[in-house]
Coordinates of all heavy atoms in Angstrom, one line a residue:
R26 N -7.8 46.5 5.4 CA -8.2 45.8 6.7 C -7.1 44.8 7.1 O -6.8 44.6 8.2 CB -9.5 45.2 6.5 CG -10.6 46.3 6.4 CD -12.0 45.7 5.9 NE -12.6 44.9 7.0 CZ -13.6 44.1 6.8 NH1 -14.2 44.0 5.6 NH2 -14.1 43.4 7.8
I27 N -6.6 44.0 6.1 CA -5.6 43.0 6.4 C -4.3 43.8 6.8 O -3.7 43.4 7.9 CB -5.2 42.2 5.1 CG1 -6.4 41.3 4.7 CG2 -4.0 41.4 5.3 CD1 -6.3 40.7 3.4
D28 N -3.9 44.8 6.2 CA -2.7 45.6 6.5 C -2.9 46.2 8.0 O -1.9 46.2 8.7 CB -2.5 46.7 5.6 CG -1.9 46.2 4.2 OD1 -1.4 45.0 4.2 OD2 -1.9 47.0 3.3
L29 N -4.1 46.6 8.3 CA -4.3 47.1 9.7 C -4.1 46.0 10.7 O -3.5 46.2 11.8 CB -5.7 47.7 9.8 CG -6.1 48.3 11.2 CD1 -5.1 49.4 11.5 CD2 -7.5 48.8 11.1
L30 N -4.6 44.8 10.5 CA -4.4 43.7 11.4 C -2.9 43.3 11.5 O -2.4 43.0 12.6 CB -5.2 42.4 10.9 CG -6.7 42.6 11.1 CD1 -7.4 41.4 10.4 CD2 -7.1 42.6 12.6
V31 N -2.2 43.4 10.4 CA -0.7 43.1 10.4 C -0.1 44.2 11.2 O 0.8 43.9 12.1 CB -0.2 43.1 9.0 CG1 1.4 43.1 9.0 CG2 -0.7 41.8 8.2
Q32 N -0.4 45.5 11.0 CA 0.2 46.6 11.7 C -0.1 46.5 13.2 O 0.8 46.8 14.0 CB -0.4 47.9 11.2 CG 0.1 49.2 11.8 CD -0.6 50.4 11.3 OE1 -0.8 50.5 10.1 NE2 -0.9 51.3 12.2
E33 N -1.2 46.0 13.6 CA -1.6 45.9 15.0 C -1.0 44.6 15.6 O -1.2 44.4 16.8 CB -3.1 45.8 15.1 CG -3.8 47.2 14.8 CD -3.4 48.3 15.7 OE1 -3.3 48.1 17.0 OE2 -3.1 49.4 15.2
G34 N -0.3 43.8 14.8 CA 0.4 42.7 15.4 C -0.4 41.4 15.5 O 0.1 40.4 16.1
F35 N -1.6 41.3 14.9 CA -2.4 40.1 14.9 C -1.7 39.1 14.0 O -1.9 37.9 14.2 CB -3.8 40.4 14.5 CG -4.6 41.1 15.5 CD1 -4.7 42.5 15.5 CD2 -5.2 40.5 16.6 CE1 -5.4 43.2 16.4 CE2 -5.9 41.2 17.6 CZ -6.0 42.5 17.5
Y36 N -1.1 39.5 12.9 CA -0.4 38.6 12.0 C 1.0 39.1 11.6 O 1.2 40.4 11.7 CB -1.3 38.5 10.7 CG -2.6 37.9 11.0 CD1 -3.7 38.8 11.2 CD2 -2.9 36.6 11.1 CE1 -5.0 38.3 11.5 CE2 -4.1 36.1 11.4 CZ -5.2 36.9 11.6 OH -6.4 36.4 11.9
A37 N 1.9 38.3 11.3 CA 3.2 38.7 11.0 C 3.3 39.5 9.7 O 4.1 40.4 9.5 CB 4.1 37.4 10.9
N38 N 2.4 39.1 8.7 CA 2.4 39.7 7.4 C 1.2 39.3 6.6 O 0.4 38.6 7.2 CB 3.7 39.4 6.6 CG 3.9 37.9 6.5 OD1 3.0 37.1 6.3 ND2 5.2 37.5 6.7
R39 N 1.0 39.8 5.4 CA -0.2 39.5 4.6 C -0.3 38.0 4.4 O -1.4 37.4 4.5 CB -0.2 40.2 3.3 CG -0.4 41.7 3.4 CD -0.2 42.3 2.0 NE -0.5 43.8 2.0 CZ -0.2 44.6 1.0 NH1 0.2 44.1 -0.1 NH2 -0.5 45.8 1.1
S40 N 0.8 37.4 4.1 CA 0.8 35.9 3.8 C 0.3 35.1 5.0 O -0.5 34.2 4.9 CB 2.1 35.4 3.3 OG 2.5 36.0 2.1
D41 N 0.8 35.5 6.2 CA 0.4 34.9 7.4 C -1.1 35.0 7.6 O -1.8 34.0 7.9 CB 1.1 35.5 8.6 CG 0.8 34.8 9.9 OD1 0.6 33.6 10.0 OD2 0.8 35.6 10.9
F42 N -1.7 36.2 7.3 CA -3.2 36.3 7.4 C -3.9 35.4 6.4 O -4.8 34.7 6.8 CB -3.5 37.8 7.2 CG -5.0 38.0 7.0 CD1 -5.8 38.2 8.2 CD2 -5.7 37.9 5.8 CE1 -7.2 38.4 8.1 CE2 -7.0 38.1 5.7 CZ -7.8 38.3 6.8
I43 N -3.4 35.4 5.2 CA -4.1 34.6 4.2 C -4.0 33.1 4.4 O -5.0 32.4 4.3 CB -3.6 35.0 2.8 CG1 -4.0 36.4 2.4 CG2 -4.1 34.0 1.7 CD1 -3.2 37.0 1.3
R44 N -2.9 32.6 4.9 CA -2.7 31.2 5.2 C -3.6 30.9 6.4 O -4.3 29.8 6.3 CB -1.3 30.9 5.5 CG -0.4 30.7 4.3 CD 1.0 30.1 4.8 NE 1.7 31.0 5.6 CZ 2.5 32.0 5.3 NH1 2.7 32.1 4.0 NH2 3.1 32.7 6.1
T45 N -3.7 31.7 7.4 CA -4.6 31.5 8.5 C -6.0 31.5 8.1 O -6.8 30.6 8.5 CB -4.3 32.6 9.6 OG1 -3.0 32.5 10.0 CG2 -5.2 32.3 10.8
A46 N -6.4 32.4 7.2 CA -7.8 32.5 6.8 C -8.2 31.2 6.0 O -9.3 30.7 6.1 CB -8.0 33.7 5.9
I47 N -7.3 30.8 5.2 CA -7.5 29.5 4.4 C -7.7 28.3 5.3 O -8.6 27.5 5.2 CB -6.4 29.3 3.3 CG1 -6.5 30.4 2.2 CG2 -6.5 27.9 2.7 CD1 -5.3 30.4 1.3
R48 N -6.7 28.2 6.3 CA -6.8 27.0 7.2 C -8.1 27.1 8.0 O -8.8 26.1 8.2 CB -5.6 27.1 8.2 CG -4.4 26.5 7.6 CD -3.3 26.2 8.7 NE -2.9 27.4 9.3 CZ -2.0 28.3 8.9 NH1 -1.3 28.0 7.8 NH2 -1.7 29.3 9.6
N49 N -8.5 28.3 8.4 CA -9.8 28.4 9.2 C -11.0 28.0 8.3 O -11.9 27.3 8.8 CB -9.9 29.8 9.7 CG -9.0 30.1 10.9 OD1 -8.4 29.2 11.5 ND2 -8.8 31.4 11.1
Q50 N -11.0 28.4 7.1 CA -12.1 28.1 6.2 C -12.1 26.6 5.9 O -13.2 26.0 5.9 CB -12.1 28.9 4.9 CG -13.3 28.8 4.0 CD -14.5 29.3 4.7 OE1 -14.5 30.3 5.5 NE2 -15.7 28.6 4.5
L51 N -11.0 26.0 5.7 CA -10.9 24.6 5.4 C -11.3 23.8 6.6 O -12.0 22.7 6.5 CB -9.5 24.2 5.0 CG -9.1 24.7 3.6 CD1 -7.6 24.4 3.3 CD2 -10.0 24.1 2.5
T52 N -11.0 24.3 7.8 CA -11.5 23.6 9.1 C -13.0 23.7 9.2 O -13.7 22.8 9.5 CB -10.8 24.3 10.3 OG1 -9.4 24.1 10.2 CG2 -11.3 23.7 11.6
A53 N -13.5 24.9 8.9 CA -15.0 25.1 8.9 C -15.7 24.2 7.9 O -16.8 23.8 8.2 CB -15.3 26.6 8.7
E54 N -15.1 23.9 6.8 CA -15.7 23.1 5.8 C -15.2 21.6 5.9 O -15.4 20.8 5.0 CB -15.4 23.6 4.4 CG -15.9 25.0 4.1 CD -17.4 25.1 4.0 OE1 -18.0 24.1 3.9 OE2 -17.9 26.3 4.1
G55 N -14.6 21.3 7.0 CA -13.9 20.0 7.2 C -14.9 18.8 6.9 O -14.5 17.8 6.3
G56 N -16.1 18.9 7.5 CA -17.1 17.8 7.3 C -17.4 17.6 5.8 O -17.4 16.4 5.4
A57 N -17.7 18.7 5.1 CA -18.0 18.6 3.7 C -16.8 18.0 2.9 O -17.0 17.2 2.0 CB -18.4 19.9 3.1
L58 N -15.6 18.5 3.3 CA -14.4 18.0 2.6 C -14.2 16.5 2.8 O -13.9 15.8 1.9 CB -13.2 18.8 3.0 CG -13.0 20.2 2.4 CD1 -11.9 20.9 3.2 CD2 -12.6 20.1 1.0
S59 N -14.4 16.1 4.0 CA -14.2 14.7 4.4 C -15.2 13.8 3.6 O -14.8 12.7 3.1 CB -14.4 14.4 5.9 OG -13.3 15.0 6.6
K60 N -16.4 14.2 3.5 CA -17.4 13.5 2.8 C -17.1 13.4 1.3 O -17.3 12.4 0.7 CB -18.8 14.1 3.0 CG -19.4 13.8 4.4 CD -20.7 14.5 4.6 CE -21.2 14.4 6.0 NZ -22.4 15.1 6.2
S61 N -16.6 14.5 0.8 CA -16.3 14.5 -0.6 C -15.1 13.6 -0.9 O -15.1 12.9 -1.9 CB -16.0 16.0 -1.1 OG -15.8 16.0 -2.4
V62 N -14.1 13.7 -0.1 CA -12.9 12.8 -0.3 C -13.3 11.4 -0.2 O -12.9 10.6 -1.0 CB -11.8 13.1 0.8 CG1 -10.8 12.0 0.9 CG2 -11.1 14.5 0.5
E63 N -14.1 11.0 0.7 CA -14.6 9.6 0.9 C -15.5 9.2 -0.3 O -15.3 8.2 -0.9 CB -15.4 9.5 2.2 CG -15.9 8.1 2.4 CD -16.6 8.0 3.8 OE1 -16.2 8.6 4.7 OE2 -17.7 7.3 3.8
R64 N -16.4 10.1 -0.8 CA -17.2 9.8 -1.9 C -16.4 9.6 -3.2 O -16.8 8.7 -4.0 CB -18.2 11.0 -2.1 CG -19.3 10.7 -3.1 CD -20.4 11.8 -3.2 NE -19.8 13.1 -3.6 CZ -19.7 14.1 -2.7 NH1 -20.1 14.0 -1.5 NH2 -19.3 15.3 -3.1
H65 N -15.4 10.3 -3.3 CA -14.6 10.2 -4.6 C -13.4 9.3 -4.4 O -12.6 9.1 -5.3 CB -14.1 11.6 -5.0 CG -15.1 12.5 -5.4 ND1 -15.8 12.4 -6.6 CD2 -15.7 13.6 -4.8 CE1 -16.7 13.4 -6.7 NE2 -16.6 14.1 -5.6
T66 N -13.3 8.6 -3.3 CA -12.2 7.7 -2.9 C -10.8 8.3 -3.3 O -10.1 7.7 -4.1 CB -12.4 6.3 -3.6 OG1 -12.4 6.5 -5.0 CG2 -13.6 5.6 -3.1
L67 N -10.6 9.5 -2.7 CA -9.3 10.2 -2.9 C -8.4 10.0 -1.7 O -8.9 9.9 -0.6 CB -9.6 11.7 -3.1 CG -10.5 12.0 -4.3 CD1 -11.0 13.5 -4.2 CD2 -9.7 11.9 -5.6
D68 N -7.1 10.0 -2.0 CA -6.1 10.1 -0.9 C -5.9 11.5 -0.6 O -6.1 12.4 -1.5 CB -4.8 9.4 -1.3 CG -4.9 7.9 -1.5 OD1 -5.6 7.3 -0.7 OD2 -4.2 7.4 -2.3
L69 N -5.6 11.8 0.7 CA -5.4 13.2 1.1 C -4.0 13.4 1.6 O -3.5 12.6 2.5 CB -6.4 13.5 2.2 CG -6.4 14.9 2.7 CD1 -6.8 15.9 1.6 CD2 -7.4 15.0 3.9
G70 N -3.3 14.3 1.1 CA -1.9 14.6 1.5 C -0.9 14.6 0.4 O -1.1 15.3 -0.6
M71 N 0.1 13.8 0.5 CA 1.2 13.7 -0.5 C 1.4 12.3 -0.9 O 1.4 11.4 0.0 CB 2.5 14.3 0.1 CG 3.6 14.4 -1.0 SD 5.1 15.2 -0.4 CE 5.8 13.9 0.6
R72 N 1.6 12.0 -2.1 CA 1.8 10.7 -2.6 C 3.0 10.6 -3.5 O 3.1 11.4 -4.5 CB 0.5 10.2 -3.4 CG 0.7 9.0 -4.2 CD 0.5 7.7 -3.3 NE 1.0 6.5 -4.1 CZ 0.2 5.8 -4.9 NH1 -1.0 6.2 -5.1 NH2 0.7 4.7 -5.5
D73 N 4.0 9.8 -3.1 CA 5.2 9.6 -3.9 C 5.0 8.3 -4.7 O 4.7 7.3 -4.1 CB 6.4 9.5 -3.0 CG 6.9 10.8 -2.5 OD1 6.9 11.8 -3.3 OD2 7.3 10.9 -1.3
V74 N 5.2 8.4 -6.0 CA 5.1 7.2 -6.8 C 6.5 6.9 -7.2 O 7.2 7.7 -7.9 CB 4.2 7.5 -8.1 CG1 4.2 6.3 -9.0 CG2 2.8 7.9 -7.7
T75 N 7.0 5.7 -6.8 CA 8.4 5.4 -7.0 C 8.5 4.4 -8.2 O 7.6 3.7 -8.6 CB 9.0 4.7 -5.8 OG1 8.4 3.5 -5.5 CG2 8.9 5.6 -4.5
R76 N 9.7 4.3 -8.7 CA 10.0 3.4 -9.8 C 9.8 2.0 -9.3 O 9.2 1.1 -10.0 CB 11.5 3.6 -10.2 CG 11.9 2.6 -11.4 CD 13.3 2.8 -11.8 NE 14.3 2.9 -10.8 CZ 14.8 1.8 -10.2 NH1 14.4 0.6 -10.5 NH2 15.7 1.9 -9.2
E77 N 10.2 1.7 -8.0 CA 10.0 0.4 -7.4 C 8.6 0.0 -7.4 O 8.2 -1.1 -7.7 CB 10.7 0.3 -6.0 CG 12.2 0.4 -6.0 CD 12.7 1.9 -6.2 OE1 11.9 2.8 -6.1 OE2 13.9 2.0 -6.5

Side-chain angles (χ1 to χ4, degrees):
R26 293 167 68 192
I27 293 168
D28 286 344
L29 182 58
L30 290 170
V31 170
Q32 180 181 320
E33 292 296 317
F35 288 95
Y36 300 94
N38 51 46
R39 290 174 175 174
S40 293
D41 182 36
F42 171 86
I43 292 167
R44 280 190 299 271
T45 300
I47 290 169
R48 279 192 301 273
N49 289 343
Q50 189 62 36
L51 291 172
T52 298
E54 300 292 344
L58 281 169
S59 293
K60 288 178 185 174
S61 185
V62 165
E63 185 178 317
R64 185 173 63 250
H65 294 289
T66 60
L67 299 166
D68 290 326
L69 183 63
M71 185 174 79
R72 169 79 192 278
D73 283 319
V74 180
T75 65
R76 180 178 51 80
E77 292 78 16

